[in-house]
Amino acid sequence: MSNKLFKIGTFSGILTIQDGESTVPQIPFVKKEKIKVANLPQTIKTVGDYAFANCYNLENVTLNEGLAEIGKQAFASCAKLQSVRIPQSVTKIGATPFYNCRNLKTIYVSKSTSLDKAALCESTGAKVVEY
């Protein structure tokens, strides 16, 4: 995935990934602090290791059904992230995906998930709520 496939709104702080991509690698931007919202298309199957790590101002990320994997520390140190919904389609989660997300309060997961719920919350203090 090249940088041209990413777009950050100049003033809005919205990260848009072009439709048709299947993986979000580590975000290759120097100024990650501008990202407040991440819009992932339905085609994304994998959020890679450290993909959104250190996006300190990330407040909202939409993880769509069809997503299968969230990598190691994919959202580490996203200080403003307060909640996240893990789609039922996710079957694999890397180590401490929300490491040091000190304001993360709630992680929503499907009742039928086979994911390790304790591992999702590790190092966050968040609680898991089933939907």
Side-chain angles (χ1 to χ4, degrees):
M1 180 181 287
S2 67
N3 285 354
K4 69 181 182 177
L5 298 175
F6 291 95
K7 177 183 173 188
I8 298 179
T10 308
F11 299 105
S12 66
I14 298 173
L15 170 70
T16 300
I17 297 172
Q18 301 300 317
D19 203 18
E21 292 300 315
S22 63
T23 302
V24 179
Q26 185 172 357
I27 302 296
F29 298 109
V30 175
K31 298 198 175 199
K32 290 182 172 186
E33 71 275 0
K34 290 186 176 188
I35 301 171
K36 293 181 181 180
V37 175
N39 294 325
L40 280 59
Q42 295 280 343
T43 56
I44 295 294
K45 303 295 179 211
T46 303
V47 175
D49 294 349
Y50 309 102
F52 291 93
N54 302 315
C55 289
Y56 306 113
N57 290 309
L58 183 66
E59 297 172 358
N60 188 330
V61 62
T62 303
L63 303 175
N64 294 310
E65 283 299 331
L67 180 68
E69 181 178 349
I70 298 174
K72 177 173 75 171
Q73 293 191 11
F75 297 94
S77 298
C78 291
K80 292 192 176 179
L81 194 61
Q82 292 186 19
S83 69
V84 66
R85 181 187 174 277
I86 308 293
Q88 184 175 351
S89 56
V90 174
T91 57
K92 183 177 178 186
I93 297 242
T96 58
F98 302 103
Y99 177 79
N100 199 31
C101 291
R102 58 185 173 264
N103 288 309
L104 186 62
K105 305 287 186 244
T106 311
I107 300 172
Y108 297 94
V109 297
S110 168
K111 288 180 183 178
S112 62
T113 190
S114 61
L115 298 174
D116 180 353
K117 294 173 189 161
L120 285 172
C121 296
E122 189 175 342
S123 79
T124 67
K127 67 177 181 173
V128 171
V129 175
E130 295 179 333
Y131 62 86

